Amino acid sequence: MKIGIVGLGLIGGSLGLDLREQGHQIVGIARRPQTCQEALDRQVVHQAGSDYSLLTDADVVFVCTPIAAIEKTVAAMVPWLDEHTVVTDVGSVKAAIVTAATRHWPRFVGGHPMAGKTEVGLEAAEPGLFAERAYVLTPLEETPSGAVETVSTLVRELNAKLYECSPAIHDRAVAWISHLPVMVSSSLIQACLSESETTVAELAQALASSGFRDTSRVGGGPPELGMMMAHYNREALLTSLQAYRNQLDTVISLIQTENWTGVQQHLTQTQAARPKFVS
Ligand code: NAP
Protein backbone atom coordinates (compact mmCIF):
# COMPACT_ATOMS: atom_id res chain seq x y z
CA MET A 1 0.00 0.00 0.00
CA LYS A 2 1.01 3.64 -0.38
CA ILE A 3 0.71 5.12 3.11
CA GLY A 4 0.88 8.82 3.98
CA ILE A 5 1.90 10.03 7.43
CA VAL A 6 1.19 13.66 8.30
CA GLY A 7 3.12 14.79 11.39
CA LEU A 8 6.45 13.03 11.80
CA GLY A 9 6.84 13.05 15.58
CA LEU A 10 6.97 10.21 18.11
CA ILE A 11 3.81 8.46 16.92
CA GLY A 12 4.03 9.32 13.20
CA GLY A 13 7.72 8.40 13.07
CA SER A 14 7.20 5.11 14.91
CA LEU A 15 4.34 4.19 12.54
CA GLY A 16 6.60 4.96 9.58
CA LEU A 17 9.38 2.70 10.87
CA ASP A 18 7.04 -0.28 11.43
CA LEU A 19 4.88 0.08 8.31
CA ARG A 20 7.94 0.53 6.07
CA GLU A 21 9.34 -2.66 7.58
CA GLN A 22 6.11 -4.39 6.47
CA GLY A 23 6.89 -3.44 2.85
CA HIS A 24 4.59 -0.44 2.43
CA GLN A 25 5.52 2.68 0.48
CA ILE A 26 5.69 5.48 3.06
CA VAL A 27 5.29 9.17 2.27
CA GLY A 28 5.79 11.66 5.12
CA ILE A 29 4.50 15.21 5.47
CA ALA A 30 6.17 17.59 7.93
CA ARG A 31 6.16 21.35 8.25
CA ARG A 32 9.90 21.78 8.71
CA PRO A 33 12.50 20.76 6.06
CA GLN A 34 14.86 19.43 8.75
CA THR A 35 12.16 17.04 10.00
CA CYS A 36 11.73 15.76 6.42
CA GLN A 37 15.48 15.27 6.09
CA GLU A 38 15.74 13.49 9.44
CA ALA A 39 12.86 11.18 8.45
CA LEU A 40 14.66 10.30 5.21
CA ASP A 41 18.01 9.84 6.98
CA ARG A 42 16.46 7.51 9.60
CA GLN A 43 14.61 5.59 6.85
CA VAL A 44 11.26 6.35 8.47
CA VAL A 45 9.82 7.26 5.05
CA HIS A 46 10.66 6.75 1.37
CA GLN A 47 9.65 10.29 0.44
CA ALA A 48 9.08 13.42 2.54
CA GLY A 49 8.00 17.00 2.02
CA SER A 50 5.62 19.69 3.20
CA ASP A 51 3.26 19.55 0.21
CA TYR A 52 0.00 17.60 0.52
CA SER A 53 0.22 16.73 -3.18
CA LEU A 54 2.58 13.93 -2.07
CA LEU A 55 -0.54 12.18 -0.74
CA THR A 56 -2.01 11.70 -4.24
CA ASP A 57 -2.82 7.99 -4.79
CA ALA A 58 -2.30 7.15 -1.09
CA ASP A 59 -4.37 4.18 0.07
CA VAL A 60 -4.26 5.24 3.71
CA VAL A 61 -3.20 8.48 5.44
CA PHE A 62 -2.38 8.59 9.17
CA VAL A 63 -2.82 12.07 10.69
CA CYS A 64 -0.32 12.23 13.57
CA THR A 65 -0.33 15.93 14.45
CA PRO A 66 -1.26 17.32 17.88
CA ILE A 67 -5.01 17.02 18.56
CA ALA A 68 -5.75 20.70 17.97
CA ALA A 69 -4.43 20.43 14.39
CA ILE A 70 -6.12 17.15 13.32
CA GLU A 71 -9.39 18.51 11.93
CA LYS A 72 -7.79 21.34 9.97
CA THR A 73 -5.14 18.96 8.66
CA VAL A 74 -7.84 16.59 7.32
CA ALA A 75 -9.66 19.53 5.74
CA ALA A 76 -6.46 20.78 4.07
CA MET A 77 -5.64 17.31 2.66
CA VAL A 78 -9.00 16.65 1.04
CA PRO A 79 -8.25 18.22 -2.39
CA TRP A 80 -5.35 15.78 -2.79
CA LEU A 81 -7.09 12.56 -1.77
CA ASP A 82 -8.44 9.90 -4.14
CA GLU A 83 -11.97 8.71 -3.51
CA HIS A 84 -10.69 5.34 -2.23
CA THR A 85 -8.24 6.89 0.29
CA VAL A 86 -8.87 5.98 3.92
CA VAL A 87 -7.88 8.63 6.48
CA THR A 88 -7.22 7.76 10.11
CA ASP A 89 -5.76 9.64 13.07
CA VAL A 90 -3.93 8.79 16.30
CA GLY A 91 -5.34 11.46 18.63
CA SER A 92 -5.81 10.55 22.31
CA VAL A 93 -9.43 11.79 22.40
CA LYS A 94 -11.95 10.71 19.83
CA ALA A 95 -15.54 12.07 19.87
CA ALA A 96 -14.74 15.68 18.93
CA ILE A 97 -12.21 14.67 16.27
CA VAL A 98 -14.18 11.85 14.63
CA THR A 99 -17.36 13.88 14.20
CA ALA A 100 -15.50 16.87 12.73
CA ALA A 101 -13.11 14.89 10.50
CA THR A 102 -15.87 12.65 9.11
CA ARG A 103 -17.66 15.78 7.87
CA HIS A 104 -14.59 16.57 5.76
CA TRP A 105 -13.89 12.98 4.68
CA PRO A 106 -16.49 10.20 5.10
CA ARG A 107 -13.81 7.49 4.78
CA PHE A 108 -12.31 8.63 8.11
CA VAL A 109 -11.67 6.06 10.84
CA GLY A 110 -10.74 7.37 14.29
CA GLY A 111 -7.85 5.58 15.97
CA HIS A 112 -5.85 5.73 19.18
CA PRO A 113 -2.67 3.71 19.75
CA MET A 114 -2.30 3.33 23.51
CA ALA A 115 1.47 3.53 23.31
CA GLY A 116 3.81 6.34 24.06
CA LYS A 117 6.75 7.51 26.12
CA THR A 118 7.85 10.58 28.01
CA GLU A 119 9.91 12.01 25.14
CA VAL A 120 8.24 13.29 22.00
CA GLY A 121 9.48 14.29 18.53
CA LEU A 122 10.91 12.26 15.67
CA GLU A 123 14.14 11.56 17.56
CA ALA A 124 12.08 9.59 20.12
CA ALA A 125 10.41 7.42 17.42
CA GLU A 126 11.29 3.74 17.62
CA PRO A 127 10.38 0.47 15.91
CA GLY A 128 7.99 -1.86 17.74
CA LEU A 129 6.41 0.92 19.84
CA PHE A 130 2.89 -0.46 19.27
CA ALA A 131 3.60 -4.18 19.69
CA GLU A 132 1.46 -5.83 22.38
CA ARG A 133 -0.16 -2.46 23.16
CA ALA A 134 -3.85 -1.67 22.72
CA TYR A 135 -4.86 0.17 19.53
CA VAL A 136 -8.48 1.38 19.59
CA LEU A 137 -10.50 2.11 16.44
CA THR A 138 -13.63 4.24 16.90
CA PRO A 139 -15.78 4.11 13.75
CA LEU A 140 -19.18 5.78 13.56
CA GLU A 141 -22.23 3.79 12.42
CA GLU A 142 -21.94 5.39 9.00
CA THR A 143 -18.18 4.74 8.61
CA PRO A 144 -17.70 2.41 5.60
CA SER A 145 -16.84 -1.09 6.88
CA GLY A 146 -14.19 -1.49 4.16
CA ALA A 147 -12.36 1.57 5.54
CA VAL A 148 -12.40 0.11 9.06
CA GLU A 149 -11.09 -3.22 7.74
CA THR A 150 -8.23 -1.48 5.90
CA VAL A 151 -7.04 0.28 9.08
CA SER A 152 -7.60 -2.88 11.16
CA THR A 153 -5.30 -4.82 8.81
CA LEU A 154 -2.51 -2.26 9.30
CA VAL A 155 -3.01 -2.24 13.07
CA ARG A 156 -2.62 -6.04 13.12
CA GLU A 157 0.63 -5.67 11.13
CA LEU A 158 1.93 -3.51 14.01
CA ASN A 159 1.32 -6.49 16.33
CA ALA A 160 -0.95 -4.24 18.37
CA LYS A 161 -4.03 -5.49 20.26
CA LEU A 162 -7.00 -4.25 18.26
CA TYR A 163 -10.11 -2.88 20.03
CA GLU A 164 -13.18 -1.30 18.46
CA CYS A 165 -15.78 0.90 20.15
CA SER A 166 -17.70 4.14 19.65
CA PRO A 167 -15.82 7.44 20.12
CA ALA A 168 -17.92 8.30 23.19
CA ILE A 169 -17.22 4.97 24.94
CA HIS A 170 -13.51 5.38 24.14
CA ASP A 171 -13.46 8.86 25.69
CA ARG A 172 -15.25 7.68 28.85
CA ALA A 173 -12.85 4.75 29.25
CA VAL A 174 -9.67 6.81 28.80
CA ALA A 175 -11.06 9.45 31.20
CA TRP A 176 -10.82 6.83 33.98
CA ILE A 177 -7.42 5.37 33.26
CA SER A 178 -5.53 8.19 31.56
CA HIS A 179 -7.08 11.63 32.04
CA LEU A 180 -8.23 11.30 35.68
CA PRO A 181 -4.77 10.07 36.77
CA VAL A 182 -3.14 13.20 35.29
CA MET A 183 -5.44 15.47 37.30
CA VAL A 184 -5.11 13.38 40.46
CA SER A 185 -1.34 13.30 40.15
CA SER A 186 -1.06 17.05 39.48
CA SER A 187 -3.38 17.74 42.45
CA LEU A 188 -1.13 15.58 44.62
CA ILE A 189 1.87 17.75 43.72
CA GLN A 190 -0.16 20.94 44.34
CA ALA A 191 -1.32 19.62 47.73
CA CYS A 192 2.27 18.94 48.78
CA LEU A 193 3.21 22.48 47.72
CA SER A 194 0.61 23.83 50.14
CA GLU A 195 2.75 22.87 53.16
CA SER A 196 3.49 26.25 54.71
CA GLU A 197 6.32 25.30 57.04
CA THR A 198 9.57 25.52 55.09
CA THR A 199 11.41 22.91 57.19
CA VAL A 200 8.67 20.34 56.58
CA ALA A 201 8.32 21.19 52.87
CA GLU A 202 12.07 20.89 52.27
CA LEU A 203 12.35 17.66 54.23
CA ALA A 204 9.40 16.17 52.29
CA GLN A 205 11.12 17.04 49.01
CA ALA A 206 14.36 15.48 50.23
CA LEU A 207 12.62 12.30 51.42
CA ALA A 208 10.41 11.78 48.33
CA SER A 209 11.27 8.45 46.79
CA SER A 210 9.79 5.65 44.67
CA GLY A 211 6.19 5.96 45.96
CA PHE A 212 6.08 9.66 45.20
CA ARG A 213 7.87 9.11 41.89
CA ASP A 214 5.15 6.63 40.79
CA THR A 215 2.18 8.70 41.93
CA SER A 216 3.44 12.09 40.70
CA ARG A 217 4.81 10.96 37.32
CA VAL A 218 1.86 11.80 35.07
CA GLY A 219 1.15 15.03 36.96
CA GLY A 220 4.69 16.21 36.22
CA GLY A 221 4.34 15.78 32.45
CA PRO A 222 3.89 18.44 29.74
CA PRO A 223 1.02 20.86 30.59
CA GLU A 224 -0.24 20.74 26.97
CA LEU A 225 -1.22 17.09 27.48
CA GLY A 226 -3.46 17.77 30.50
CA MET A 227 -4.89 20.86 28.79
CA MET A 228 -5.81 18.74 25.77
CA MET A 229 -7.56 16.19 28.00
CA ALA A 230 -9.50 18.84 29.91
CA HIS A 231 -10.46 20.70 26.76
CA TYR A 232 -11.43 17.82 24.45
CA ASN A 233 -12.75 15.30 26.99
CA ARG A 234 -14.34 17.73 29.43
CA GLU A 235 -17.58 15.90 30.24
CA ALA A 236 -16.09 12.46 30.84
CA LEU A 237 -13.20 13.94 32.80
CA LEU A 238 -15.56 15.91 35.05
CA THR A 239 -17.61 12.75 35.72
CA SER A 240 -14.52 10.80 36.76
CA LEU A 241 -13.21 13.71 38.87
CA GLN A 242 -16.54 13.89 40.74
CA ALA A 243 -16.35 10.14 41.45
CA TYR A 244 -12.79 10.59 42.67
CA ARG A 245 -13.84 13.47 44.95
CA ASN A 246 -16.57 11.23 46.40
CA GLN A 247 -13.97 8.59 47.14
CA LEU A 248 -11.74 11.15 48.88
CA ASP A 249 -14.72 12.31 50.97
CA THR A 250 -15.41 8.70 51.96
CA VAL A 251 -11.80 8.12 53.03
CA ILE A 252 -11.71 11.42 54.97
CA SER A 253 -14.91 10.49 56.77
CA LEU A 254 -13.65 6.99 57.63
CA ILE A 255 -10.46 8.40 59.12
CA GLN A 256 -12.21 11.28 60.93
CA THR A 257 -14.57 8.83 62.61
CA GLU A 258 -11.70 6.41 63.32
CA ASN A 259 -13.54 3.73 61.39
CA TRP A 260 -10.47 1.54 61.01
CA THR A 261 -12.53 -1.42 59.80
CA GLY A 262 -13.87 0.79 57.01
CA VAL A 263 -10.36 1.96 56.10
CA GLN A 264 -9.20 -1.66 56.09
CA GLN A 265 -12.10 -2.68 53.79
CA HIS A 266 -11.40 0.23 51.45
CA LEU A 267 -7.72 -0.70 51.08
CA THR A 268 -8.47 -4.44 50.81
CA GLN A 269 -10.90 -3.78 47.95
CA THR A 270 -8.42 -1.60 46.05
CA GLN A 271 -5.60 -4.12 46.56
CA ALA A 272 -7.81 -6.84 45.05
CA ALA A 273 -9.06 -4.66 42.17
CA ARG A 274 -5.78 -3.19 40.91
CA PRO A 275 -4.82 -6.30 38.84
CA LYS A 276 -8.01 -5.78 36.80
CA PHE A 277 -6.34 -2.67 35.39
CA VAL A 278 -2.62 -3.45 35.42
CA SER A 279 -0.74 -6.66 36.15
P1 NAP B 1 5.05 14.89 18.61
O1 NAP B 1 6.16 13.92 18.77
O2 NAP B 1 5.21 16.26 19.16
O3 NAP B 1 4.71 14.99 17.05
C1 NAP B 1 3.75 15.87 16.53
C2 NAP B 1 4.06 16.15 15.07
O4 NAP B 1 3.07 17.02 14.55
C3 NAP B 1 5.39 16.79 14.82
O5 NAP B 1 5.96 16.19 13.69
C4 NAP B 1 5.05 18.26 14.52
O6 NAP B 1 5.83 18.83 13.52
C5 NAP B 1 3.68 18.16 13.94
N1 NAP B 1 2.89 19.35 14.23
C6 NAP B 1 2.89 20.07 15.36
N2 NAP B 1 1.97 21.05 15.29
C7 NAP B 1 1.42 20.97 14.07
C8 NAP B 1 0.46 21.71 13.37
N3 NAP B 1 -0.15 22.76 13.94
N4 NAP B 1 0.13 21.34 12.12
C9 NAP B 1 0.74 20.29 11.53
N5 NAP B 1 1.68 19.53 12.14
C10 NAP B 1 2.01 19.88 13.38
O7 NAP B 1 3.70 14.32 19.23
P2 NAP B 1 3.19 12.82 19.37
O8 NAP B 1 3.47 12.38 20.76
O9 NAP B 1 3.71 12.00 18.23
O10 NAP B 1 1.62 13.04 19.28
C11 NAP B 1 0.98 13.15 18.04
C12 NAP B 1 -0.45 12.65 18.20
O11 NAP B 1 -0.41 11.35 18.78
C13 NAP B 1 -1.31 13.52 19.12
O12 NAP B 1 -2.57 13.72 18.52
C14 NAP B 1 -1.47 12.66 20.39
O13 NAP B 1 -2.74 12.83 20.99
C15 NAP B 1 -1.32 11.26 19.84
N6 NAP B 1 -0.80 10.28 20.80
C16 NAP B 1 0.32 10.56 21.51
C17 NAP B 1 0.81 9.61 22.41
C18 NAP B 1 2.05 9.87 23.23
O14 NAP B 1 2.26 9.20 24.24
N7 NAP B 1 2.92 10.78 22.83
C19 NAP B 1 0.16 8.38 22.55
C20 NAP B 1 -0.97 8.11 21.78
C21 NAP B 1 -1.44 9.07 20.90
P3 NAP B 1 6.98 19.90 13.79
O15 NAP B 1 8.18 19.05 14.01
O16 NAP B 1 7.02 20.69 12.54
O17 NAP B 1 6.62 20.73 14.99
Side-chain angles (χ1 to χ4, degrees):
M1 280 191 212
K2 176 174 172 179
I3 296 178
I5 299 178
V6 182
L8 295 169
L10 168 67
I11 300 294
S14 300
L15 279 171
L17 288 166
D18 280 0
L19 293 172
R20 182 176 168 145
E21 186 65 25
Q22 292 294 318
H24 298 291
Q25 177 71 19
I26 312 295
V27 173
I29 307 279
R31 297 179 300 177
R32 294 176 299 143
Q34 60 266 42
T35 308
C36 296
Q37 193 55 52
E38 193 187 334
L40 289 166
D41 292 347
R42 284 196 57 194
Q43 304 197 337
V44 169
V45 296
H46 294 93
Q47 248 187 310
S50 54
D51 196 331
Y52 288 125
S53 64
L54 283 172
L55 300 174
T56 306
D57 293 334
D59 299 292
V60 178
V61 178
F62 285 82
V63 180
C64 302
T65 64
I67 285 178
I70 292 177
E71 183 197 350
K72 64 174 189 251
T73 302
V74 174
M77 282 168 13
V78 161
W80 305 102
L81 302 179
D82 286 355
E83 60 180 1
H84 79 284
T85 306
V86 175
V87 177
T88 185
D89 77 313
V90 296
S92 315
V93 294
K94 297 273 53 97
I97 292 174
V98 175
T99 309
T102 303
R103 269 191 232 117
H104 297 293
W105 194 251
R107 291 174 71 73
F108 180 87
V109 182
H112 179 198
M114 304 287 299
K117 35 196 246 190
T118 316
E119 308 86 36
V120 289
L122 182 56
E123 55 284 4
E126 61 181 46
L129 186 72
F130 311 101
E132 302 303 324
R133 309 300 296 271
Y135 197 124
V136 192
L137 296 185
T138 62
L140 299 172
E141 276 178 21
E142 65 265 31
T143 309
S145 56
V148 182
E149 195 41 50
T150 300
V151 183
S152 301
T153 302
L154 293 175
V155 168
R156 286 191 203 98
E157 287 180 15
L158 300 170
N159 287 323
K161 295 180 190 166
L162 181 63
Y163 292 84
E164 197 178 306
C165 65
S166 71
I169 294 290
H170 165 277
D171 288 356
R172 285 172 58 189
V174 297
W176 288 117
I177 51 82
S178 177
H179 303 176
L180 174 62
V182 168
M183 298 305 161
V184 167
S185 176
S186 62
S187 300
L188 166 70
I189 298 170
Q190 288 284 11
C192 293
L193 290 176
S194 72
E195 170 56 58
S196 55
E197 205 170 315
T198 311
T199 318
V200 177
E202 286 180 355
L203 185 62
Q205 288 166 19
L207 297 182
S209 186
S210 56
F212 193 81
R213 182 172 290 110
D214 290 347
T215 48
S216 66
R217 185 176 65 81
V218 292
E224 307 80 48
L225 201 63
M227 286 298 296
M228 173 276 294
M229 294 164 174
H231 188 108
Y232 289 93
N233 202 16
R234 181 173 169 274
E235 291 305 319
L237 176 58
L238 282 173
T239 301
S240 60
L241 277 167
Q242 293 288 1
Y244 185 71
R245 181 153 75 185
N246 293 343
Q247 282 299 323
L248 279 183
D249 286 342
T250 302
V251 173
I252 289 169
S253 164
L254 291 171
I255 296 173
Q256 271 173 341
T257 56
E258 301 192 24
N259 181 347
W260 307 127
T261 311
V263 174
Q264 171 80 28
Q265 276 172 356
H266 170 84
L267 295 172
T268 304
Q269 281 167 5
T270 56
Q271 184 186 40
R274 186 171 184 265
K276 291 182 184 177
F277 296 88
V278 283
S279 50

